[in-house]
Amino acid sequence: MIIEPRSGRTLDYHLVLPAPGGHDGEGILVEEFTRRDDFCATGLHSASWTPGGGWCSSASLSRGLRVDPAVLARVVPTGHAEAAHAYRRLGGGELPSEVVLRTYFRDHQPIPTAAPLRLGPSRPPEGFHERRVYRVLFAKDLRADQVAALRSRWRTTGGGAAGSVADGRRESGGARFTWDLRRVGHTLAWCLDVTVLMRSGGAEAVSATLTDLTNLLRQHGLVTVTTERFA
C-alpha cells in the first residue's frame, strides 16, 4: 500500500472562507504542531493572513475551529500548492517559504500531555521489542464517498476493530503498522488509531507513517486536532 509523502513540507495549510453574511475577506491559516520525540503533540503554532490585515497571530482562530462548529465550517484543509494559489489570487504575491512563515508564529498553544496509558498487551509479540498505540483526533466530517475512497486506498479488509469504517496495514523501516478509522463523540469528529510493532530501530518510520496518514486524511477534508499515545 502506497501513502503519498509530504515532499518535505511540515506545515499544515488551510483556506479560511468568509463568514456567512459577513464582510471579512477569505484568507489563509498556517499551523504546525510541536511534538515529543515519540510524535505525540505537545502544542500548536499558527499564523493567519488576510488581504487587508497581513500576517498576524491566529491562536484564537486555531482554538475556535476545534471547538466551534461555525468556525470549523469556514476552514478548509488544503495543500501547499492550493494555499500558494489562493495567496496569489488574493493579492499576496508569492507565498513565503516555510522558514519565513514560522517567523509569524507568535502564540504557542500548549496541548496537555500525560504518560502513555498501557492499553492492550504490555509485551509485544515475539520478534518485536516494543508496541505502541497512537490516536490521531480530527474535526470535520467525511462523506460516504470519501470513506469508500479511503477503504480502497488502504485495501480495507473489514477485519479491523469494532466500529472501524476503514482500516489498513503496512511494514516500513523495521516496524509493522495497523490502523483503524472510526467516528467518535457526538459531534463531527473522527479518530485514527494506529498500532505500531517495532523491531530494532523503527522510530523514523513511526514519524513518517503517522505524518503521511494524517496528511492523507487532511486531503479528504479533516482538520487535525491532536496526536496522543496510549501505549
Side-chain angles (χ1 to χ4, degrees), residues 82-168:
E82 293 80 2
H85 174 74
Y87 193 71
R88 287 192 298 271
R89 177 175 56 81
L90 294 171
E94 291 299 314
L95 184 68
S97 69
E98 295 200 337
V99 172
V100 174
L101 289 174
R102 288 188 180 92
T103 67
Y104 302 133
F105 294 156
R106 296 287 187 270
D107 302 310
H108 181 257
Q109 303 175 67
I111 297 175
T113 60
L117 299 174
R118 294 297 171 183
L119 303 180
S122 59
R123 303 181 64 179
E126 185 177 353
F128 300 92
H129 75 86
E130 185 179 359
R131 175 182 179 271
R132 298 183 183 181
V133 179
Y134 290 91
R135 171 165 291 179
V136 189
L137 292 173
F138 298 91
K140 277 193 175 285
D141 204 1
L142 291 170
R143 302 187 307 269
D145 64 301
Q146 291 174 314
V147 173
L150 288 168
R151 289 176 58 87
S152 176
R153 182 72 169 270
W154 290 341
R155 300 178 184 174
T156 292
T157 62
S164 173
V165 300
D167 61 78

Side-chain angles (χ1 to χ4, degrees), residues 32-218:
E32 183 175 40
F33 285 94
T34 53
R35 301 183 182 277
R36 295 194 314 229
D37 290 343
D38 64 356
F39 199 76
C40 288
T42 60
L44 183 64
H45 288 295
S46 61
S48 61
W49 176 88
T50 57
W55 289 100
C56 63
S57 169
S58 60
S60 60
L61 176 60
S62 288
R63 286 193 297 267
L65 73 89
R66 289 168 170 85
V67 299
D68 186 340
V71 177
L72 181 62
R74 296 177 52 211
V75 177
V76 180
T78 191
H80 176 270
E82 293 80 2
H85 174 74
Y87 193 71
R88 287 192 298 271
R89 177 175 56 81
L90 294 171
E94 291 299 314
L95 184 68
S97 69
E98 295 200 337
V99 172
V100 174
L101 289 174
R102 288 188 180 92
T103 67
Y104 302 133
F105 294 156
R106 296 287 187 270
D107 302 310
H108 181 257
Q109 303 175 67
I111 297 175
T113 60
L117 299 174
R118 294 297 171 183
L119 303 180
S122 59
R123 303 181 64 179
E126 185 177 353
F128 300 92
H129 75 86
E130 185 179 359
R131 175 182 179 271
R132 298 183 183 181
V133 179
Y134 290 91
R135 171 165 291 179
V136 189
L137 292 173
F138 298 91
K140 277 193 175 285
D141 204 1
L142 291 170
R143 302 187 307 269
D145 64 301
Q146 291 174 314
V147 173
L150 288 168
R151 289 176 58 87
S152 176
R153 182 72 169 270
W154 290 341
R155 300 178 184 174
T156 292
T157 62
S164 173
V165 300
D167 61 78
R169 62 206 69 246
R170 74 177 297 192
E171 294 215 15
S172 176
R176 178 181 298 170
F177 300 85
T178 57
W179 59 85
D180 294 279
L181 178 68
R182 61 170 64 85
R183 190 187 297 275
V184 293
H186 302 291
T187 58
L188 302 183
W190 292 80
C191 74
L192 181 73
D193 289 338
V194 183
T195 299
V196 188
L197 297 177
M198 301 174 65
R199 299 186 179 92
S200 58
E204 290 186 3
V206 171
S207 175
T209 298
L210 288 173
T211 297
D212 291 340
L213 287 170
T214 299
N215 193 49
L216 180 61
L217 289 172
R218 290 190 74 256

